[in-house]
Amino acid sequence: MMNLIKTIRPFFATVIAGIEVDHKLCSVVVNFYRRGQLQQTQIKEFKTNPGELPIQAVRYIKKIRAKNPFTYVSTLSLSITQGVINSDKESEFEKYGVNCNEVVYKRFDNNWSVYVPNQGIAETKKRFLKLGADFVISPFMILYRLAKDTFQDSCKLYVLFQRSNMTLIVTKQDAGVLFGGYYVLESEIDLGLSVVKHSLSEDEEDIQKTDIESDLQNELSNIENVVDLDSESSDDDELIKVLKNDDSEDDLNESGEDSSKGNDLDDFSRINTAAKFIQSALSEFYNNPLYNSEFINEIVIFNPHDIAQETLQQIQQITMLEVHVLSCDIAKELANLGYESYKFFESKGQV
């Protein structure tokens, strides 16, 4: 099997699909690489039930995978018990209440670590059972990557503000992550949507590997039927449009007054919940002797889904800290970090 992979590998692109499911929206960014160079990017959005991976997204990625067997899915960890530690020493994990035997983790050079419980690995696979999840990325890694270009000597609180969840870290230049927290802004716990990070730890024995060879063999067996598959999928997509009165794409661009007002009220409720979490986190950071606390003079909010600036500014009024809002694209970051993960495992001969 490995010889077959090596033989056919040069004829196919490496494809990384970054998938973010946040509330009722599924965002997908697909990057196509050849010889280590990004050749093409495709961007899609699908409406869905809160927190669910939509079948349209599954069909879309499977069509790509039929033509490109070396396609990998990168998605976001949603485990409610994931976190960060201001240390890269296993001996210090316990004082933060973290058992190294019960989590997967990645340590960073500037003395901090990110972790997620082992149990979440099974939850991730269950959630993406119809598609597969090759690289599960911690939101703390996404937020740190977004924030690092804005680091200064002074401490800041960085917030990744999704509609379903909120991730925050406290850091400054060359300090690693001093403190972090992950919070659910709406009830997803009952939906069982905990997803865990696929560890990039160098301890290979601790990594639960995906059976990529088996998946690849299944995909290769379908290559000869690509034309038929595309035709069938296309017919199915057309049928879906008819059943939905052909307005599925229009739904993504809805800006009706009633819908807008509903979203504003919904977001305002999230802001109030988020502000309480932020206040609680600041109190923990300042008062818990575990943390080397410093004064925080600014909150930087990364706003991936264009929540109104005026709504987000309510956090400034509640916390009395200056708030700066920046846009971002989580699915894009997932695709980029997914490719970095792919290169890591490729260097170890695991993909």
Side-chain angles (χ1 to χ4, degrees), residues 260-278:
S260 178
K261 288 182 178 179
N263 286 337
D264 287 346
L265 290 173
D266 201 25
D267 289 340
F268 186 78
S269 174
R270 284 183 173 83
I271 293 297
N272 284 332
T273 301
K276 292 176 183 177
F277 283 141
I278 289 173

Side-chain angles (χ1 to χ4, degrees), residues 247-263:
D247 60 358
S248 58
E249 291 186 5
D250 291 339
D251 285 347
L252 293 177
N253 299 315
E254 263 187 329
S255 56
E257 185 176 349
D258 291 340
S259 176
S260 178
K261 288 182 178 179
N263 286 337

Side-chain angles (χ1 to χ4, degrees), residues 18 90 92-93 131 133 172 206 208 212 243 254 284 322:
E90 292 182 7
E92 296 187 9
F93 278 35
L131 190 58
K172 64 178 184 178
D206 293 337
Q208 185 165 344
I212 295 176
L243 292 174
E254 263 187 329
E284 175 78 4
E322 182 180 351

Side-chain angles (χ1 to χ4, degrees), residues 28-55:
V28 181
V29 171
V30 184
N31 287 340
F32 296 77
Y33 296 88
R34 284 191 180 275
R35 295 179 292 277
Q37 299 297 315
L38 178 62
Q39 299 293 315
Q40 181 187 3
T41 297
Q42 294 181 10
I43 300 173
K44 295 281 187 179
E45 287 188 342
F46 305 93
K47 276 196 170 182
T48 187
N49 294 325
E52 290 186 8
L53 177 65
I55 189 61

Side-chain angles (χ1 to χ4, degrees), residues 219-237:
E219 296 299 338
L220 289 174
S221 66
N222 292 324
I223 289 178
E224 294 179 358
N225 299 320
V226 166
V227 175
D228 292 338
L229 176 61
D230 282 350
S231 176
E232 180 182 341
S233 299
S234 178
D235 291 341
D236 288 345
D237 290 343

Side-chain angles (χ1 to χ4, degrees), residues 21 76-80 82 127 165 182 188 193-196:
V21 180
L76 195 64
S77 167
L78 298 178
S79 173
I80 60 174
Q82 63 190 323
R127 185 183 181 214
N165 313 286
Y182 182 80
E188 290 189 344
L193 298 184
S194 298
V195 183
V196 300

Side-chain angles (χ1 to χ4, degrees), residues 82-84 140 143 166-170 179-183 281:
Q82 63 190 323
V84 291
F140 294 101
L143 181 53
M166 178 179 70
T167 308
L168 62 83
I169 59 173
V170 176
F179 175 85
Y182 182 80
Y183 306 90

Side-chain angles (χ1 to χ4, degrees), residues 96-107:
Y96 291 89
V98 178
N99 185 335
C100 290
N101 296 322
E102 297 177 354
V103 300
V104 290
Y105 58 91
K106 176 176 170 59
R107 293 172 289 183

